[in-house]
């Protein structure tokens, strides 16, 4: 298992037979504040559902033994968890079958981990299964409430700065590029990357008015948010 020890953190079960893919998803979701567990197939699905009690299940369609569509029915019969299907199949019939059977969303391989994390977060939000506040060291971010504090002091952030801070916090410990930030915060990837620099500079000034630097630059690579509290470890370990 990977992820926060926060008992209120959303719990996500990842059923994916490809080990590298499964571990990457588990790590990415762990970094985003989820408690995660991975399974290589559906052999122990029922007992894992009963013991782990996930808020959301990610199901690969092409699995050894029972496929994802069969397991989707099991999840629906035993839990009220959200379901995101993941598959290399891109045929419309497969997507419709998954959604008609009870899946909440459908992601086609190959995909960016940021995209899957965003889809998971959206499904959990629609189901009322995710806390709106994200805590990283002395930083608390509540995008839905439109507020963020550092060391207990409210930060006067614009809406864009708040989205940017939330994204960096969700990816804490991981270096994200300007293009990734543009895609996730602004919704496009073909724009002047100086836009990111301008907003990050303003955000840093506001953050550093109340504590040491937590947003760091990796020249030529991107930006990394690391908690100022050294006792807080990256919940998912090293970035892939």
């Amino acid at each position: 298992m990977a992820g926060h020890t926060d008992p209120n953190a959303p719990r996500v079960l990842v059923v994916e037979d490809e080990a590298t893919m499964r571990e990457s998803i588990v790590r990415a979701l762990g970094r985003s504040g989820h408690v995660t567990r991975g399974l290589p197939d559906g052999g122990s699905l029922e007992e894992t559902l009963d013991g782990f009690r996930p808020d959301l299940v990610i199901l690969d369609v092409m699995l050894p033994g029972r496929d994802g569509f069969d397991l989707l029915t099991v999840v629906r019969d035993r839990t009220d968890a959200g379901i995101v299907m993941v598959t290399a199949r891109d045929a419309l019939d497969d997507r419709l079958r998954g959604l008609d059977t009870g899946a909440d969303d459908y992601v086609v391989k190959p995909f960016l981990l940021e995209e899957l994390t965003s889809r998971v977060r959206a499904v959990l939000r629609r189901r009322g299964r995710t806390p709106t506040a994200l805590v990283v060291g002395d930083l608390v971010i509540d995008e839905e409430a439109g507020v963020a504090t550092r060391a207990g002091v409210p930060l006067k952030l614009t809406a864009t700065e708040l989205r940017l801070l939330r994204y960096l916090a969700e990816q804490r410990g991981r270096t994200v590029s300007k293009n990734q930030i543009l895609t996730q915060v602004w919704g496009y990837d073909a724009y002047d990357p100086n836009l990111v620099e301008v907003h990050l500079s303003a955000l840093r000034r506001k953050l550093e008015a109340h504590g040491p630097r937590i947003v760091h630059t990796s020249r030529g690579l991107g930006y990394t948010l690391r908690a100022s509290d050294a006792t807080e470890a990256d919940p998912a370990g090293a970035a892939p």
Side-chain angles (χ1 to χ4, degrees):
M1 185 186 300
H4 280 291
T5 57
D6 179 358
N8 296 316
R11 306 169 74 83
V12 180
L13 176 64
V14 181
V15 187
E16 162 66 60
D17 62 318
E18 185 181 341
T20 301
M21 174 68 72
R22 182 176 66 252
E23 292 164 5
S24 294
I25 294 172
V26 164
R27 283 196 299 267
L29 291 173
R31 280 191 297 266
S32 295
H34 304 82
V35 175
T36 55
R37 180 171 295 180
L39 291 177
D41 54 47
S44 60
L45 179 64
E46 287 85 352
E47 62 185 82
T48 302
L49 291 174
D50 293 342
F52 184 54
R53 297 183 179 179
D55 296 298
L56 183 140
V57 180
I58 297 175
L59 288 174
D60 186 23
V61 170
M62 300 296 290
L63 291 167
R66 296 180 294 176
D67 67 17
F69 294 122
D70 290 339
L71 299 184
L72 188 157
T73 302
V74 173
V75 175
R76 273 284 161 263
D77 287 346
R78 299 179 77 97
T79 78
D80 62 351
I83 299 174
V84 175
M85 304 292 287
V86 175
T87 182
R89 294 178 176 176
D90 59 0
L92 178 61
D93 288 347
D94 286 332
R95 285 180 288 181
L96 292 177
R97 179 182 174 189
L99 295 172
D100 288 344
T101 308
D104 294 278
D105 205 348
Y106 203 108
V107 183
V108 177
K109 297 177 183 177
F111 55 82
L112 294 175
L113 288 171
E114 290 93 337
E115 176 191 3
L116 179 61
T117 300
S118 179
R119 299 283 192 95
V120 165
R121 191 166 58 246
V123 171
L124 288 168
R125 187 182 300 120
R126 289 198 301 268
R127 290 176 159 267
R129 297 294 186 88
T130 181
T132 61
L134 177 61
V135 180
V136 184
D138 63 356
L139 182 68
V140 179
I141 308 160
D142 191 335
E143 188 176 0
E144 289 189 15
V147 297
T149 62
R150 186 164 191 205
V153 180
L155 302 174
K156 295 181 180 180
L157 304 180
T158 66
T160 299
E161 289 168 352
L162 186 63
R163 289 197 307 273
L164 175 58
L165 181 59
R166 173 95 192 187
Y167 175 64
L168 292 172
E170 287 171 344
Q171 302 299 319
R172 62 195 177 280
R174 180 183 184 188
T175 300
V176 291
S177 69
K178 289 180 183 178
N179 281 340
Q180 287 174 305
I181 293 172
L182 282 168
T183 299
Q184 296 300 315
V185 177
W186 278 270
Y188 41 68
D189 55 11
Y191 203 77
D192 183 358
N194 290 329
L195 183 69
V196 175
E197 294 181 8
V198 170
H199 281 84
L200 264 170
S201 178
L203 177 60
R204 273 176 166 158
R205 285 195 299 271
K206 295 177 182 181
L207 289 170
E208 291 168 21
H210 305 288
R213 173 162 292 193
I214 57 174
V215 178
H216 304 271
T217 302
S218 298
R219 191 171 299 278
L221 296 176
Y223 304 92
T224 310
L225 186 146
R226 292 193 293 271
S228 59
D229 181 355
T231 63
E232 175 173 314
D234 179 355

